[in-house]
Amino acid sequence: MAGPLPVGSDNTSRTRMRRFRVDVGTIICAVALVQSLLLVAFGYWAAERLVSRVGESAHKVNHDRVEDNVLAFLAKTEALVRAIAHTPSLHPAGQDGDQTAELLWTALEQTPELDSIGVTSDDGHQLMALRQPVPAVRQVLRDPTFSTETWEYKQPPDSDGDSDPRQRYATTRIEAFRSDDDPTKDGEYLQAEKARHAVWTAPFLLPAEKELGVSHARPSHRRDDEGAPQTLVVAADVSLGHLSSLVRLFGGTGHGNSALLSADHHVIARGDQPHVVRVLEDPQGGVLGALHAHMLANGSRGWTEDTAFTLDHEGARYRVQTSLIAGTGWRLVSWEPEDALLGGLHRNVLWSLLLTLSFLAIALFISLRLSKLVTAPIENLSRTARRIGRLELDDLPLEKSRVLEIQHLNQALDDSARSLKAFSKFVPVDVIKQLIADGHTLAPSGAPRRITAMFTDVEGFTTISESMEADVLMRQLTEYFNLATGVFARHGGVVDKFMGDGIMVLWGAPADLPDAEYQACVASLELHAEMNELNQKWRDEGLHEFRTRIGIHTGLAVAGVLGSSDRLSYTALGDVINVASRIEGTNKQLGTRTLLSEETFAGLQGRLATRRIEELVELRGRQTRMVLYELLEPTQS
């Protein structure tokens, strides 16, 4: 057989039950809420991932479009240079020179992107068609000690293409002179000959156009008429201003921008600025500088591989895509604000989430209402049971319900109440109630605290009250008290009591308040300022004005729940309260509005304008005189 329960086990179980109180409706709603929130959270997470992928794809499409345009631009120049390099009769001098000059001029005319195109032989001869500084065909014939340059000036190559080709190629004038130019020392020639394949040179400054350019050079190895090996290099100069217009295509179709960075990390074209890049500059400052630093921080991967990442800069998040331009060593980088790209989608997802949560709230509200049909009667019955426990047996309400169990419980409680009521005829009920109440007795208590106390008074209130009707006076007092208590509350003051037309306010009790002296003084200034407006309103209504006088003192007081055993209140007692009251009364004899004690003045630390009362003031009911200060309003300082 099971042994008897240990003493106190029943009390322990009842204590545990009191710690955990929950009704059936709350349990059902909590389970439904948890399940619904999990589903909503998962749906929101999935929607955000989908939006992120959509944004990444959209950004990559814009980036790829700019990349395709840049590649197409470069490919056009590469194809033209390759076609000229494969021309059998190509030569900068000799019998094929005139035919080569016509070929180069035609290529320049048909390709507006080119600034110049020319061919250089390994013996130092060069033939070039120029668009800048003036349209011309330039030929350099190299002798062992000097070069002979011939310039044949032409019509602009961008003229009407339907005119006579001979007229477009006609020479307007010719100049010839000696120079020290050696074409085989040019950078594009040296790079192409060394690489033995087509190369794109590093960006350089085009002297004629005062902007950056780049050359594409391709070597052509062949044999001359005598069968000796010969190397020709075909090179075309391209202004990077054309590339700037291409990278601006990104910003023209969206909210992002693109930039081209050279292999040595210089900006050669960018779409986030309206002007063309004319000098080699580092990508510093702004979004471009931030993403360049991010790429460098990732080492070789950030510079040699196509990457996609997000970047936070100046409170905004950007989606960034980078790719390597093949054959050049350049990097195309593009960035777009995520909010501009996905802001609408994010807002739609958020609105969907809010709508779902709204439906969930409605469903929970309905569930709670339905559960209240069961729990509300039970709660009412529990209140009835507590009244029975307090022996309040008169006028007990009956709880009607269609739930059979609730009806049974209601009947059981009614039977208990009738039995106790009959039993109370034989037992002193007052004694029982006292015994029950003894376990919750609240005794007076208090503790010393440093506080700042304020007393206010309306000047001449007795005279004002004698000349006014009671209802008008009560209305004015109510307006005045509402204004004053609002000002005190804003600055941490606690109204202790109203004394006729006066108010006692505490700073630093019941809770500690840093800088209590300053807060009290600021509150007094604000009260005077707002009373000026209220008095103006009363003057317009033909009513008396209220002129408030204030006294403030700081010190130790006993603050706490004070009073008798059956009548308590929270207040403060001590000399600091009496002194504050006396200081307020001294305003009348000094003709001032706000007076401070020396202790309150010290707490201000000079932050507000004050005036020292030169003579020591004797306070009513005190032996010693005190140093007082008048708190000056802003118009008086």
Side-chain angles (χ1 to χ4, degrees):
M1 293 181 59
L5 291 173
V7 178
S9 62
D10 188 52
N11 292 335
T12 303
S13 62
R14 281 199 292 267
T15 303
R16 291 175 180 173
M17 290 300 295
R18 284 199 296 270
R19 291 177 181 173
F20 183 72
R21 296 176 178 176
V22 63
D23 57 45
V24 176
T26 302
I27 295 175
I28 297 174
C29 291
V31 173
L33 178 63
V34 171
Q35 292 177 342
S36 301
L37 288 179
L38 287 176
L39 290 175
V40 170
F42 178 76
Y44 180 73
W45 173 79
E48 283 293 326
R49 279 184 60 85
L50 179 61
V51 168
S52 179
R53 291 183 179 179
V54 169
E56 185 176 343
S57 298
H59 179 70
K60 192 172 188 308
V61 167
N62 292 334
H63 176 85
D64 290 345
R65 182 174 61 253
V66 177
E67 182 180 6
D68 291 343
N69 280 279
V70 172
L71 290 174
F73 175 83
L74 299 178
K76 184 176 181 181
T77 301
E78 292 173 352
L80 178 63
V81 170
R82 181 172 57 252
I84 294 176
H86 292 169
T87 301
S89 58
L90 186 69
H91 201 277
Q95 298 178 352
D96 297 327
D98 292 340
Q99 184 177 353
T100 300
E102 292 183 7
L103 174 64
L104 296 178
W105 183 260
T106 303
L108 184 69
E109 186 180 47
Q110 297 301 319
T111 313
E113 296 86 355
L114 296 183
D115 291 286
S116 66
I117 185 169
V119 56
T120 303
S121 62
D122 53 8
D123 54 3
H125 301 324
Q126 186 182 64
L127 188 61
M128 179 182 298
L130 301 165
R131 192 184 304 272
Q132 297 291 340
V134 292
V137 172
R138 172 177 177 262
Q139 186 179 46
V140 178
L141 299 178
R142 182 65 182 173
D143 287 331
T145 58
F146 62 89
S147 297
T148 301
E149 290 193 35
T150 303
W151 288 67
E152 296 183 10
Y153 297 98
K154 308 289 185 179
Q155 296 291 336
D158 301 323
S159 58
D160 187 7
D162 294 331
S163 60
D164 186 354
R166 293 185 178 182
Q167 293 298 323
R168 295 201 306 270
Y169 186 62
T171 300
T172 58
R173 60 190 177 91
I174 299 176
E175 290 184 4
F177 53 87
R178 290 187 177 185
S179 71
D180 296 328
D181 186 24
D182 186 356
T184 60
K185 297 295 191 296
D186 293 343
E188 61 268 21
Y189 179 90
L190 295 174
Q191 292 182 46
E193 185 181 38
K194 180 180 180 181
R196 303 186 67 80
H197 59 75
V199 295
W200 283 96
T201 66
F204 59 90
L205 183 64
L206 294 170
E209 301 180 55
K210 303 300 181 183
E211 66 179 63
L212 295 178
V214 66
S215 293
H216 180 65
R218 173 181 286 272
S220 176
H221 302 286
R222 57 183 71 195
R223 293 185 178 276
D224 58 15
D225 296 336
E226 286 76 23
Q230 184 183 40
T231 299
L232 300 179
V233 174
V234 180
D237 291 344
V238 181
S239 169
L240 293 181
H242 298 290
L243 289 178
S244 294
S245 62
L246 290 178
V247 297
R248 288 196 192 97
L249 290 175
F250 192 104
T253 57
H255 301 276
N257 288 290
S258 293
L260 271 175
L261 305 180
S262 64
D264 55 356
H265 301 203
H266 287 114
V267 180
I268 57 178
R270 60 193 306 169
D272 59 337
Q273 295 182 359
H275 59 270
V276 175
V277 178
R278 299 187 181 277
V279 294
L280 290 175
E281 56 185 20
D282 294 328
Q284 296 179 349
V287 182
L288 181 58
L291 66 89
H292 177 255
H294 178 88
M295 292 166 63
L296 292 179
N298 286 340
S300 60
R301 182 178 180 275
W303 198 255
T304 60
E305 299 180 15
D306 294 354
T307 58
F309 56 90
T310 58
L311 177 73
D312 293 322
H313 179 68
E314 294 184 350
R317 170 161 288 195
Y318 295 85
R319 288 193 173 270
V320 183
Q321 187 80 31
T322 73
S323 58
L324 180 65
I325 303 300
T328 63
W330 303 344
R331 297 292 297 179
L332 174 64
V333 295
S334 58
W335 62 96
E336 193 164 5
E338 190 174 81
D339 184 64
L341 184 65
L342 301 175
L345 289 176
H346 279 305
R347 284 188 289 272
N348 289 337
V349 171
L350 184 59
W351 275 111
S352 299
L353 175 64
L354 294 177
L355 187 61
T356 302
L357 292 176
S358 300
F359 285 139
L360 177 59
I362 293 173
L364 288 174
F365 175 76
I366 295 174
S367 300
L368 286 173
R369 294 293 295 177
L370 292 175
S371 67
K372 284 297 181 182
L373 295 178
V374 176
T375 58
I378 296 177
E379 182 64 27
N380 292 335
L381 290 174
S382 69
R383 285 195 289 269
T384 300
R386 284 193 291 272
R387 288 186 60 184
I388 294 174
R390 295 192 298 267
L391 297 180
E392 298 172 1
L393 305 176
D394 295 326
D395 300 324
L396 291 176
L398 295 177
E399 186 65 34
K400 295 181 180 180
S401 175
R402 295 181 181 274
V403 180
L404 184 60
E405 289 79 3
I406 295 177
Q407 282 288 81
H408 290 168
L409 180 58
N410 183 59
Q411 186 63 44
L413 288 175
D414 185 57
D415 293 343
S416 299
R418 286 189 288 109
S419 300
L420 284 174
K421 193 169 186 180
F423 181 71
S424 66
K425 300 294 184 179
F426 304 94
V427 179
V429 176
D430 292 339
V431 175
I432 297 174
K433 289 183 177 179
Q434 183 63 43
L435 291 174
I436 295 173
D438 282 344
H440 304 281
T441 300
L442 180 61
S445 62
R449 303 179 67 92
R450 180 175 175 82
I451 66 169
T452 294
M454 171 192 289
F455 279 81
T456 73
D457 180 63
V458 176
E459 179 181 336
F461 184 76
T462 302
T463 303
I464 294 174
S465 62
E466 290 175 352
S467 62
M468 295 179 63
E469 296 181 1
D471 57 341
V472 176
L473 179 63
M474 185 60 63
R475 180 175 67 85
Q476 278 194 264
L477 269 178
T478 302
E479 285 189 67
Y480 168 64
F481 285 151
N482 287 339
L483 184 148
T485 54
V487 171
F488 298 148
R490 285 197 297 272
H491 296 280
V494 176
V495 175
D496 182 274
K497 61 176 67 71
F498 295 96
M499 302 164 295
D501 60 303
I503 309 173
M504 174 180 169
V505 193
L506 303 178
W507 274 265
D512 292 334
L513 178 67
D515 213 3
E517 299 90 338
Y518 178 76
Q519 295 296 335
C521 292
V522 171
S524 67
L525 292 175
E526 189 171 320
L527 176 60
H528 288 315
E530 295 195 12
M531 279 303 301
N532 290 337
E533 299 179 7
L534 183 58
N535 283 330
Q536 180 62 48
K537 171 177 171 291
W538 286 343
R539 283 196 298 271
D540 296 340
E541 297 176 2
L543 301 176
H544 286 284
E545 301 179 26
F546 282 6
R547 177 182 172 87
T548 304
R549 296 182 299 206
I550 297 174
I552 306 174
H553 182 44
T554 301
L556 288 176
V558 176
V561 178
L562 306 176
S564 64
S565 59
D566 58 352
R567 182 65 179 268
L568 303 172
S569 65
Y570 188 90
T571 188
L573 300 175
D575 186 61
V576 63
I577 304 299
N578 298 328
V579 171
S581 177
R582 300 296 189 272
I583 292 175
E584 183 276 317
T586 307
N587 282 290
K588 182 176 182 180
Q589 67 187 68
L590 295 181
T592 54
R593 298 182 68 180
T594 304
L595 288 176
L596 317 175
S597 68
E598 193 168 19
E599 290 79 3
T600 303
F601 169 77
L604 288 180
Q605 298 178 355
R607 287 172 288 177
L608 296 176
T610 58
R611 179 179 67 87
R612 179 187 173 100
I613 306 301
E614 295 300 330
E615 295 184 5
L616 295 180
V617 179
E618 180 181 358
L619 299 182
R620 181 170 55 87
R622 292 183 63 86
Q623 297 292 333
T624 59
R625 295 174 177 265
M626 291 186 64
V627 176
L628 297 182
Y629 292 83
E630 180 185 7
L631 181 64
L632 301 178
E633 299 178 33
T635 55
Q636 297 178 267
S637 59

